[in-house]
Amino acid sequence: MLLMVPVALAFTAADRAIEAVPCLALDIEVDQMEGMFFVDAPTLHALVTEEFNLLNKPMASLPLAALHKTISAQNGVASCSLEPTLGGALKVQVTQQRPLARVWLPDTVLYMDELGSSMALSQRYTADVPVLHAPSIEAAQSALPLLRKLDTAPFWDQLIDQIEIQEDGAIALRPRIGDVLVELGQAAQLEQELNGRLERLLTFYTALIQRGDLRQYRKISLQYDGQLVASK
């Protein structure tokens, strides 16, 4: 126990030292994961310096909560962290939202990220993600198990171009190859049955590829347990 006391005092002294240091610089870093740039550091820097008077103010007096709220509210920001340093720099680390689909709703178009949160389209960047047609954002969120599967499985990601969600909750796919509608079934069933249905679809597509004919069917239904029904 005695050995732990000086360590605690050292941390306390360091914290107090940082609080007394004036803010001399604002250092913002934005992760460029997978080449995305919905958000960039210069834009955030201009926003923060215009709204907040930070320079030469003691670190202890900086409105960190308000600063965090402002940055987090920007389109494309998933999270941010603030870290004052003894060198006088306020370090801001920003993580971007990662879209899984471009969602077409009756009255607007937006992105939906991996948590099901919506984000506005960007003039600076277009994400290469499937297009999802849905009657509401809640209906679009029901497709998250499928979207996460596409995100982690290159074969399905390259094959599937569009996803359609009907008013009754049924989900259908439109592959890039051929004019065919693939009926997956009700969204509520896919949490448990998605992998099995996609495996049946893969087996069917493999057979079609071997025969060299991918365009003879107009509709494929996977909504019946253990079955695949193809219609010309």
Side-chain angles (χ1 to χ4, degrees):
M1 293 293 296
L2 293 176
L3 293 176
M4 295 176 63
V5 173
V7 175
L9 292 176
F11 276 116
T12 301
D15 291 340
R16 291 175 179 172
I18 290 177
E19 291 177 356
V21 170
C23 180
L24 303 176
L26 177 63
D27 182 9
I28 299 179
E29 294 184 2
V30 178
D31 73 317
Q32 295 298 329
M33 179 176 55
E34 301 177 5
M36 294 189 310
F37 48 96
F38 288 101
V39 184
D40 65 78
T43 300
L44 289 178
H45 192 282
L47 170 73
V48 170
T49 54
E50 180 178 349
E51 186 165 342
F52 297 93
N53 183 16
L54 303 177
L55 294 184
N56 297 318
K57 302 292 184 180
M59 290 291 189
S61 70
L62 298 184
L64 297 183
L67 181 58
H68 185 276
K69 182 178 180 180
T70 296
I71 295 175
S72 298
Q74 302 310 302
N75 185 54
V77 173
S79 64
C80 76
S81 61
L82 310 177
E83 180 188 355
T85 69
L86 282 170
L90 177 61
K91 288 184 173 292
V92 180
Q93 184 68 47
V94 174
T95 301
Q96 297 185 78
Q97 285 180 276
R98 186 169 173 271
L100 292 186
R102 185 183 182 102
V103 182
W104 286 72
L105 301 176
D107 56 352
T108 188
V109 182
L110 47 81
Y111 286 118
M112 185 170 67
D113 71 8
E114 53 199 337
L115 299 178
S117 300
S118 59
M119 53 189 294
L121 301 184
S122 172
Q123 294 183 348
R124 69 179 72 185
Y125 179 73
T126 300
D128 183 16
V129 292
V131 174
L132 190 157
H133 299 270
S136 67
I137 188 62
E138 290 78 17
Q141 290 168 342
S142 71
L144 277 173
L146 174 59
L147 292 172
R148 290 167 180 153
K149 180 68 175 183
L150 300 184
D151 184 49
T152 57
F155 174 81
W156 296 116
D157 182 50
Q158 294 172 17
L159 180 67
I160 304 305
D161 185 37
Q162 296 191 51
I163 302 168
E164 300 175 4
I165 303 180
Q166 307 302 323
E167 291 284 354
D168 63 357
I171 296 182
L173 309 175
R174 290 196 179 273
R176 300 177 190 271
I177 303 173
D179 183 17
V180 61
L181 180 69
V182 179
E183 298 177 338
L184 277 182
Q186 294 293 316
Q189 301 172 340
L190 297 185
E191 192 75 45
Q192 301 296 326
E193 302 180 19
L194 176 62
N195 288 336
R197 295 185 183 190
L198 289 180
E199 286 175 5
R200 295 201 299 274
L201 182 60
L202 177 59
T203 300
F204 181 75
Y205 264 103
T206 301
L208 288 182
I209 291 172
Q210 291 173 350
R211 293 203 302 264
D213 190 355
L214 294 173
R215 303 180 185 275
Q216 61 175 308
Y217 295 101
R218 296 298 181 189
K219 185 168 70 172
I220 300 171
S221 179
L222 295 159
Q223 56 188 322
Y224 307 107
D225 290 342
Q227 301 181 43
L228 182 150
V229 179
S231 305
K232 294 185 177 181

